[in-house]
Amino acid sequence: IETAEKLFANNGFEGSSIRDIAQGAGVNIAMISYYFGSKEKLLEAIFLYRINYTRLTLLNLLESGNISPAQKIEKLVDSYIEKMMNNQCFYRLMNQQQIVNEIHKISDLVYESKAKNTEMVKKIVQEGQKSGEFRKNIDVSMLMTTLIGTSNHFISAQDFYRKYNNMTEVPDEEFQKHLKKKLSHHLKTLFKSILTNEEK
């Protein structure tokens, strides 16, 4: 699954053959056919693998009774940044599939995943509204668009950020830590303003 994810992200779905995937993973072609049946089913397995992990993370966050809604939102921001930075191949692949939109099963999986995740975040926001921590009339779908869109753009444009901020000599591990910290601070500040300030 991880080999296929990297190849699909780097070469595109059509540009990656089952033979390439088998060779990269060090397995024979028959094994891929046995477990997945087809290249499309392998792509579907990648999406299910990543989507289920995200859903479980959100569910655990939602059910945390010992932290406030504001703390849950901060943890949400950090968990999304962490998973997007650690799984950059998957998010490139997801972006490709959303643009091409050729495999309807994948489109349905992405929609269903986004809808369920947004509903879970909505419950956290409602919890904050009920306690008086958050203001009313929050557009949760726009909140999620801001979180995912900003993170996605920041990660995909990291080479520009590195050059623009004169960080080309900074070791990659240190640079990735810097990116996470910078993005986390920006999004948490933005979300605090959106969630807790009354509209003028």
Side-chain angles (χ1 to χ4, degrees):
I1 285 175
E2 289 175 359
T3 300
E5 182 179 84
K6 285 176 187 170
L7 285 170
F8 290 156
N10 293 333
N11 305 330
F13 179 73
E14 293 300 332
S16 307
S17 69
I18 290 290
R19 186 178 297 280
D20 295 334
I21 295 162
Q23 189 176 353
V27 299
N28 62 48
I29 293 172
M31 188 176 284
I32 295 176
S33 297
Y34 176 79
Y35 282 106
F36 301 103
S38 67
K39 197 165 74 164
E40 286 79 7
K41 288 289 183 185
L42 179 53
L43 181 64
E44 189 180 325
I46 292 168
F47 275 80
L48 285 169
Y49 173 62
R50 295 297 182 199
I51 285 167
N52 288 338
Y53 177 79
T54 302
R55 192 168 299 155
L56 186 62
T57 304
L58 271 174
L59 195 58
N60 288 337
L61 189 59
L62 184 62
E63 292 176 351
S64 298
N66 56 341
I67 60 174
S68 71
Q71 290 171 316
K72 288 180 183 180
I73 291 293
E74 289 200 342
K75 283 184 176 290
L76 171 78
V77 168
D78 283 335
S79 72
Y80 262 86
I81 291 170
E82 190 73 23
K83 77 185 179 77
M84 290 179 83
M85 291 200 73
N86 291 343
N87 302 297
Q88 292 182 34
C89 282
F90 175 70
Y91 285 94
R92 281 209 313 276
L93 178 58
M94 182 184 270
N95 287 339
Q96 288 169 14
Q97 288 304 309
Q98 288 182 112
I99 292 165
V100 175
N101 198 24
E102 285 179 343
I103 303 172
H104 296 300
K105 181 69 176 174
I106 299 301
S107 300
D108 293 344
L109 276 173
V110 171
Y111 172 80
E112 183 187 333
S113 170
K114 285 184 174 181
K116 285 184 178 176
N117 292 349
T118 302
E119 282 304 306
M120 282 193 269
V121 174
K122 194 176 191 178
K123 287 179 182 175
I124 296 173
V125 170
Q126 287 170 339
E127 184 186 335
Q129 289 170 327
K130 193 174 179 182
S131 68
E133 215 172 333
F134 299 155
R135 67 175 178 82
K136 304 296 181 188
N137 304 319
I138 302 292
D139 187 334
V140 179
S141 61
M142 283 304 295
L143 201 67
M144 292 302 287
T145 299
T146 301
L147 172 59
I148 296 165
T150 303
S151 299
N152 221 333
H153 178 74
F154 194 63
I155 292 165
S156 65
Q158 60 185 278
D159 287 344
F160 165 79
Y161 181 89
R162 187 193 274 263
K163 288 175 189 172
Y164 187 77
N165 290 282
N166 300 312
M167 298 183 76
T168 51
E169 302 302 317
V170 176
D172 195 55
E173 190 177 337
E174 188 182 329
F175 178 66
Q176 293 297 317
K177 284 181 183 175
H178 171 81
L179 282 184
K180 284 182 188 178
K181 187 176 177 183
K182 200 79 175 170
L183 184 56
S184 175
H185 176 73
H186 173 74
L187 284 169
K188 285 174 184 175
T189 303
L190 185 61
F191 278 25
K192 186 176 181 183
S193 174
I194 292 169
L195 291 165
T196 61
N197 290 343
E198 293 292 334
E199 290 183 342
K200 303 294 182 190

Coordinates of all heavy atoms in Angstrom, one line a residue, residues 4 9 25 31 33 37 61 63 75-76 89 95 113-114 119 140 153 166 174:
A4 N 2.6 1.7 -3.4 CA 1.7 2.2 -4.4 C 1.3 3.6 -4.2 O 1.3 4.4 -5.2 CB 0.4 1.3 -4.3
A9 N 1.4 8.9 -6.3 CA 1.6 10.4 -6.0 C 2.6 11.0 -6.9 O 2.5 12.1 -7.4 CB 2.0 10.6 -4.5
A25 N 7.8 -2.8 -4.1 CA 7.4 -3.4 -2.8 C 8.2 -4.8 -2.5 O 8.1 -5.3 -1.4 CB 5.9 -3.7 -2.7
M31 N 0.7 -11.7 -6.0 CA 0.3 -11.3 -4.7 C -0.6 -10.1 -4.6 O -1.5 -10.1 -3.9 CB 1.6 -11.1 -3.8 CG 1.3 -11.0 -2.3 SD 2.8 -10.8 -1.3 CE 3.3 -12.5 -1.3
S33 N -2.5 -9.0 -7.1 CA -3.8 -9.5 -7.6 C -4.6 -10.2 -6.6 O -5.8 -10.1 -6.5 CB -3.6 -10.3 -8.9 OG -2.9 -9.5 -9.9
G37 N -6.9 -7.5 -6.2 CA -7.8 -7.7 -7.4 C -7.4 -6.9 -8.6 O -7.4 -7.4 -9.7
L61 N -10.7 12.3 19.9 CA -10.7 13.7 20.3 C -12.0 14.1 20.7 O -12.2 14.8 21.8 CB -10.2 14.5 19.1 CG -9.9 16.0 19.3 CD1 -8.8 16.2 20.4 CD2 -9.5 16.6 18.0
E63 N -14.4 12.3 22.0 CA -14.8 11.7 23.2 C -14.0 12.0 24.4 O -14.2 11.5 25.5 CB -14.9 10.1 23.0 CG -16.0 9.7 22.0 CD -15.9 8.2 21.7 OE1 -15.0 7.5 22.1 OE2 -16.9 7.8 21.0
K75 N -5.9 20.6 19.4 CA -5.4 19.3 19.2 C -5.8 18.8 17.7 O -5.0 18.1 17.1 CB -5.9 18.3 20.2 CG -5.2 18.4 21.5 CD -5.7 17.3 22.5 CE -5.0 17.3 23.8 NZ -3.6 16.8 23.7
L76 N -7.0 19.3 17.3 CA -7.4 19.0 15.9 C -6.5 19.6 14.9 O -6.1 18.9 14.0 CB -8.8 19.6 15.7 CG -9.4 19.5 14.3 CD1 -9.9 18.2 13.9 CD2 -10.5 20.6 14.1
C89 N 2.7 12.2 0.5 CA 2.4 11.5 -0.8 C 0.9 11.2 -0.9 O 0.3 11.4 -2.0 CB 3.1 10.1 -0.8 SG 4.8 10.2 -1.2
N95 N -5.3 15.0 -3.9 CA -5.5 16.2 -4.7 C -5.6 15.8 -6.2 O -6.5 16.3 -6.9 CB -4.4 17.2 -4.6 CG -4.4 17.9 -3.2 OD1 -5.5 18.0 -2.6 ND2 -3.3 18.4 -2.8
S113 N -15.8 10.7 3.7 CA -14.8 10.9 4.7 C -14.9 12.4 5.2 O -15.0 12.7 6.4 CB -13.4 10.6 4.2 OG -12.5 11.1 5.1
K114 N -14.9 13.3 4.2 CA -15.0 14.7 4.6 C -16.2 15.1 5.3 O -16.2 15.9 6.3 CB -14.8 15.6 3.3 CG -13.4 15.7 2.7 CD -13.4 16.6 1.5 CE -12.0 16.8 1.0 NZ -11.9 17.7 -0.1
E119 N -18.8 16.6 10.4 CA -19.8 16.4 11.4 C -19.2 16.2 12.8 O -19.8 16.7 13.8 CB -20.7 15.1 11.0 CG -21.7 15.4 9.9 CD -22.6 16.6 10.3 OE1 -23.3 16.5 11.3 OE2 -22.7 17.5 9.4
V140 N -18.8 25.5 9.9 CA -17.8 24.4 10.1 C -17.2 23.9 8.9 O -16.0 23.6 8.8 CB -18.4 23.2 10.9 CG1 -17.4 22.1 11.2 CG2 -19.0 23.7 12.3
H153 N -1.7 23.9 1.0 CA -0.9 24.9 0.3 C 0.4 25.1 0.9 O 1.5 25.2 0.2 CB -1.7 26.2 0.1 CG -0.9 27.2 -0.6 ND1 -0.7 27.2 -2.0 CD2 -0.2 28.3 -0.1 CE1 0.1 28.2 -2.3 NE2 0.4 28.9 -1.2
N166 N 15.0 32.5 3.4 CA 16.5 32.2 3.5 C 16.8 31.0 4.4 O 17.7 31.1 5.3 CB 17.2 33.5 4.0 CG 17.0 34.6 3.0 OD1 17.2 34.5 1.8 ND2 16.7 35.8 3.6
E174 N 15.0 19.8 10.7 CA 14.8 21.0 11.5 C 13.8 21.9 10.7 O 13.0 22.6 11.4 CB 16.2 21.7 11.6 CG 16.2 22.9 12.5 CD 17.5 23.6 12.6 OE1 18.6 23.0 12.5 OE2 17.5 24.9 12.8

